[in-house]
Structures are given as structure tokens and as C-alpha cells.
Amino acid sequence: MRRSTFFIIVSSVIGLAFLFWLTTRAAAMNGVSLGLHGWVAIVLGSVLSLLVSAVLFGLTFHSARSGHDERIDPPH
């Protein structure tokens, strides 16, 4: 694994941890307590959002590197 990839993964995990902490603080300030289902929903939503964005970025980079973006076919 390259150093830049490792840095991106670590910074993403730190960002997620910060957002979870911020969520708990915001909920505690408003007097709301999250149950198990709430935490599962937050975790699944966060992880799935990261996966979707990673796949879309990967497809964008693959398209740019494979030359699909340079092809211009005039209409017939």
C-alpha cells in the first residue's frame, strides 16, 4: 500500500470518528439519546456513503486514464 493511500484511509477514519463524536455531543445537548437502531443507521449510512463516493471517484479516474474522455465521435 502506498503512503498516500494509507494517509487517505487514516484521515477518513479520523474524520468519521470526529463526526460520530460530534453527533453524540449534538444529541446530548438537545436531550436526545440514540438507541441501537439509531447508531446502526448512522454507521451504515456513513460507511455506505464512503463506499459510494470511493467507487464513483474510482470510475471517474478509470475513465480519464483509459482515454474515454478524449474520444469525440461526430454525429452521423
Side-chain angles (χ1 to χ4, degrees):
M1 181 182 319
R2 294 187 330 189
R3 179 175 262 174
S4 62
T5 305
F6 179 74
F7 176 73
I8 290 171
I9 291 171
V10 169
S11 62
S12 296
V13 170
I14 290 171
L16 274 177
F18 175 72
L19 289 176
F20 287 141
W21 176 80
L22 190 64
T23 302
T24 58
R25 297 296 297 164
M29 281 188 210
N30 293 326
V32 176
S33 63
L34 288 175
L36 177 65
H37 291 97
W39 284 109
V40 169
I42 289 173
V43 169
L44 283 177
S46 300
V47 169
L48 290 176
S49 294
L50 281 175
L51 285 175
V52 167
S53 64
V55 167
L56 289 175
F57 272 112
L59 287 172
T60 302
F61 291 137
H62 173 70
S63 174
R65 289 183 184 147
S66 65
H68 289 12
D69 295 340
E70 274 90 43
R71 289 187 197 158
I72 299 175
D73 294 330
H76 297 279

